Amino acid sequence: MATTRRVRARRGEGVLLREEILRAAGELLAETGTEDALTVRAVAVRAGVTTPSVYLHFAGKEELVEAVCLRAWDELGRIFAESRGGDPFLALGRCGRAYARFALDHPAQYRVLMMRPSAGPGVPAAAAAAFRHMVAAVAACVRVGVLQGDPETLALGLWSAVHGCVSLLIAQPSFPWPDDQEALIAHIVHMAGFGAALQSRLPRALPPSARLAAELDDFGVRLTAAGEQSGQTGRRGQCGQTDSV
C-alpha cells in the first residue's frame, strides 16, 4: 500500500487535513467494498498522517465511517433534482428508481447509513435527507390530487417499499433474484406508487374478491384507454425506460 509522508499542517489547515483523511477513507472503502477496512490506523497510513491526527477530527472509527459515507450521500440530492420535473406522478416514479439505483451503486455506503443503527442520537443525517427528498416528490403529487393524504405519511410508505427492495438486494446477493434487477425495481416502484394512489380512495368495506377483481379489471381498461388518449403511454423517459411511475 503506497503512502506519502505529510508535512505537518499549519495553523488554519485543519479543514484541509480533514478532507485528506476523508478522501483516504473513501479510497479504502472503494477498493475493499467494506467498512471493515476503515480502521483509524489504516486511514492514517493511507493519508500519510499520524493516528492522533485522525482522532483530532473524528472521535473514533464509527464517526469516521459515517462521515465518509455521507460524502457519497450528497450525490443523492443531485439525482433527485434531475429526476423531478414534468408530471409529478411520473417524476415520483423516476425518483424511486433513481434512489434504488443509487443505493445499489453505493452498497457499502448504503449499508452503513441506512441498514444499521446510527452511531449517534437522533435521526441520522442520511435518513433525514432521503426523507426530505421523498416528501418533496410526494407533496407535488398531493398538490395535483393524484395522491391523497399527508405527504409525510405517504412518503414513509413509499420509502419503506423501495428501501426494503434495495436492502434485500444488498444483504442477500446469493438469493436467486431475476437477472433484470432494473425490471424488479421498476415493478416495486410501480406497485408502491399505484398502491398509494388507490389506497386513499378505497372504502373501508371492500366487495368480495371476485367482484373486486372485476372492478379492478374494468379500472385497468379505462386507465389504459385514458393513457393512450393523453399520449403518455409508452413515452420514453430517462435511461431509455418507459416513463411511468
Side-chain angles (χ1 to χ4, degrees):
M1 181 183 295
T3 61
T4 58
R5 182 172 297 278
R6 188 181 185 281
V7 177
R8 183 181 178 85
R10 296 188 297 271
R11 186 184 300 275
E13 291 185 342
V15 174
L16 296 177
L17 175 55
R18 187 178 190 276
E19 286 300 309
E20 290 180 16
I21 292 170
L22 288 174
R23 183 165 53 251
E27 292 172 355
L28 283 172
L29 186 63
E31 292 171 6
T32 64
T34 174
E35 65 272 23
D36 294 340
L38 268 66
T39 65
V40 173
R41 183 178 183 279
V43 172
V45 170
R46 171 60 67 94
V49 301
T50 64
T51 300
S53 295
V54 177
Y55 282 112
L56 286 175
H57 297 274
F58 304 97
K61 176 181 174 178
E62 290 299 318
E63 186 175 309
L64 173 60
V65 169
E66 189 161 313
V68 72
C69 289
L70 281 171
R71 284 168 66 89
W73 206 254
D74 291 340
E75 182 184 347
L76 184 62
R78 178 186 60 79
I79 291 174
F80 263 82
E82 292 177 351
S83 299
R84 295 177 65 185
D87 184 275
F89 200 48
L90 299 181
L92 179 62
R94 291 195 297 272
C95 287
R97 294 192 298 273
Y99 179 92
R101 175 45 50 199
F102 173 84
L104 296 179
D105 286 345
H106 302 83
Q109 290 91 335
Y110 195 83
R111 186 167 52 247
V112 168
L113 296 175
M114 302 299 294
M115 295 173 61
R116 68 176 190 175
S118 175
V123 178
F131 187 56
R132 285 196 304 271
H133 294 312
M134 191 64 70
V135 170
V138 169
C141 293
V142 172
R143 284 193 293 272
V144 299
V146 66
L147 295 181
Q148 296 180 357
D150 174 54
E152 292 194 357
T153 301
L154 292 166
L156 281 173
L158 295 170
W159 184 27
S160 297
V162 179
H163 169 75
C165 174
V166 297
S167 295
L168 284 170
L169 288 169
I170 292 172
Q172 302 295 332
S174 298
F175 188 82
W177 301 107
D179 292 334
D180 190 348
Q181 287 190 359
E182 296 294 337
L184 173 63
I185 291 169
H187 171 72
I188 298 299
V189 171
H190 196 85
M191 182 170 58
F194 274 98
L198 285 172
Q199 190 276 333
S200 62
R201 293 169 167 82
L202 294 178
R204 290 184 178 274
L206 293 174
S209 296
R211 173 70 182 277
L212 178 60
E215 295 287 350
L216 290 173
D217 287 343
D218 181 62
F219 170 72
V221 170
R222 289 187 284 111
L223 193 62
T224 299
E228 290 173 346
Q229 291 174 4
S230 66
Q232 294 294 334
T233 300
R235 185 167 63 86
R236 291 288 172 177
Q238 293 179 344
C239 302
Q241 296 180 339
T242 300
D243 196 2
S244 66
V245 71

